[in-house]
Amino acid sequence: MNELASDLVLSVEDLRTHFETEGGTVRSVDGVSFTVRRGETLAVVGESGSGKSVTSLSVMGLIPTPPGRIVGGRVLFRGKQGDVVELTAMDDRAMRSIRGNDISMVFQEPMTSLNPVFTVGDQIAEAIRLHRGKTRAESKALAADMLDRVGIADPGKRVEEFPHQLSGGMRQRAMIAMALSCSPTVLIADEPTTALDVTIQAQILDLMRTLQRESAERMSIVFITHDLGVVADMADRVVVMYGGRIVEEGTAVDIFKSPRHPYTIGLLNSIPRSVRQDRDADADPGVIVDYRLEAIPGNVPNPMNLPPGCAFEPRCGHAVAQCGQAVPALTEIAGGHHSRCIRWAAL
Amino acid sequence: MNADAGAQAPSAAPLVEVRRLAKYFPVRGGLLRRTVGHVKAVDDISFALAPGEVVGLVGESGSGKTTVGRTMLRLTEPTRGEVRFGGADITNLARPELRDYRRRMQIIFQDPYASLDPRMRVQDTIGEALEIHGLAEGGAMHDRIAELLRRVGLEPEHMRRYPHEFSGGQRQRIGIARALAVDPEFVVADEPVSALDVSIQAQVMNLLRDLQDDLDLTMLFIAHDLSVVEYVSNRVIVMYLGRIMETAPAAELYRNPRHPYTEALLSAAPVPDPTVRRERIILEGDIPSPINPPSGCVFRTRCRYATADCASVVPELRPVGPDHAKACIRDDIL
């Protein structure tokens, strides 16, 4: 029985996605659960190998099989008609009718996700024709409308252009236009601004916020990123991943203001904070800032060879003997704030 | 006032200096591959680094920041202008005379995967530089490599391994050890942490800060990330489309930006604090092509303060405070 609380649009339940390689099984995603409410932005944060991208590809049914395979868990989704479906049980054909229609995705590098031999307009129009049953001419007109909505100047001309004729920022806008052309319930954005300059990133983040606010369907966004600045900017709630598992989950304020997992704390301490306001006005402005970053020691774990207990234990300053023995449970600390650390109360 | 004087380092005689530096790359097109235009990567910039000073060079893509660093090391030949090191003009030095300068100036690259030869053991990568400059051999070389590896936070045993056996952060440490092997006075660090995971970035930034302090290195730290630059620099230079927009002591630049581009850049950088809601300046449009930069001020096409005059005059870098200069004709803003 597929049940989903009425305010939820997506529920990932104990998802396990593994990859078979010559060196053994890589447990890229190993028991991940989270939900997405209608209209909210959930950020999934992690470094390389954390499993954040494999999680989103699993939800979209885009795991290359072989070598990858969803070996456990399920993903429930509420479609536009309000019907709840199990994405992980669908065949390719059923999934194709959902992808790009009910759930859309925006990737880091738009050049690799746009087809170089078709015009931008054709690619957006194709999605509209496929999912919304419009004619060729109607689709083309709607494509131009979408380009206009994402802030591309002269959309009538741009629909006839090929991806290489657009700048990086404009390509990402076109990608977002395509993703939103069928008014999806959920938009999954995987590092959508990582390849962009900071002034262009600000434009794209602003655009995503505006489109979300304006969407009649109260679109939800799952924002996958490694950039904590972007998370603070965009997210209502945050999931922090490490070694294929969620290590902390909470509201953006929980995560940034009272983090309760040593990895989250370490990540926050790793980013230089601006001290422009705190500096003594009389001090020599050319002196290097006097605080020191508390870097997390060691390396990001190899997903092929995770420690038996807490994946963060080898790098953790709070670790005790017990941490290396079993994977700690994700424990609720306060309403909606969870930590996968047995010592959370001592942090 | 002329452009030469714009962004001088304060007090002490500079160790490294560029004067009216320009680098144009030809753009070829058509059947005969004729030169049909130029990418004006760097256009008429002057600045200097005092001994032991860390200058952060910030800019977005196409700003020319990487070209500046490469030109200072003479890895790229300038189209115009002068590169000076230790008071001497090294712009036109030929290979043999350049050799000693090559030892005194080193570079740390962005991508620790692309910058190490995958077929060379760590000891050969580091030893190569020592050998070329005749600095050590045999047992002394072995000891020197071991010491360098310890210095960058690796183990002497690592010298027998190949690059693929290391993580990204460890490879960047090897790249740093290689640069420091020859006891340079000046180091260009070109986006040294931007390819690394967040938790590893802090390790490498701390390492660079410690090494700079211990060895009294003069450093040009090139990055697009303003907060990274703020953490390591004494002074910051902001570039846009091949030109310097503003320069100031680090704390002054971040606290009191005087150029509209610096203001927008600082405002665009997301702050890791969800309770901070700032009025954000969103710059319109894209960065123009450096092949055909706007006339007058190169930033004017995206500047919310631009006036008609901005299109006709190339603004000179002029002082607006102690060690603080901006290339903007307007005094009534910021």
Side-chain angles (χ1 to χ4, degrees), chain A residues 47-48 167 197-199 201 203 229 232-233 256-257 274 276 279 285-286 288-289 291-293 296 298-299 315, chain B residues 60-61 167 197-199 203 206 209-210 230-232 234 251 254 270-274 280 283 285-287 302:
Chain A
E47 298 182 283
S48 47
S167 69
D197 279 313
V198 60
T199 59
Q201 167 172 283
Q203 294 173 357
D233 207 14
F256 284 89
K257 294 296 178 181
S274 181
R276 62 191 80 137
R279 283 208 204 182
I288 289 179
V289 291
Y291 76 94
R292 193 176 169 79
L293 293 175
I296 303 174
N299 295 299
R315 303 174 74 187
Chain B
E60 297 181 280
S61 42
S167 67
D197 274 312
V198 178
S199 70
Q203 295 175 1
N206 281 343
R209 248 173 66 155
D210 292 344
E230 182 177 9
Y231 183 62
V232 298
N234 299 112
Y254 288 88
V271 177
D273 184 343
R280 180 155 297 159
L283 291 179
D286 282 313
I287 302 169
R302 302 174 74 201

Side-chain angles (χ1 to χ4, degrees), chain B residues 30 46 62 90 203 249 295:
Chain B
S46 305
I90 63 161
Q203 295 175 1
S295 67

Side-chain angles (χ1 to χ4, degrees), chain B residues 295-311:
Chain B
S295 67
C297 171
V298 286
F299 182 59
R300 70 175 165 82
T301 52
R302 302 174 74 201
C303 181
R304 58 183 185 153
Y305 307 105
T307 64
D309 286 344
C310 297

Side-chain angles (χ1 to χ4, degrees), chain B residues 55-114:
Chain B
V55 170
L57 190 56
V58 196
E60 297 181 280
S61 42
S63 64
K65 56 188 192 299
T66 290
T67 307
V68 168
R70 296 184 58 91
T71 313
M72 290 178 89
L73 300 180
R74 293 254 346 245
L75 297 171
T76 299
E77 296 304 321
T79 305
R80 272 200 312 275
E82 231 175 83
V83 180
R84 302 180 70 86
F85 189 91
D89 182 356
I90 63 161
T91 325
N92 300 305
L93 286 189
R95 271 175 178 275
E97 294 87 58
L98 201 56
R99 191 178 184 136
D100 184 46
Y101 289 103
R102 289 250 188 266
R103 182 191 67 73
R104 297 166 70 187
M105 314 187 285
Q106 290 290 313
I107 186 164
I108 298 163
F109 294 100
Q110 171 177 356
D111 186 348
Y113 290 84

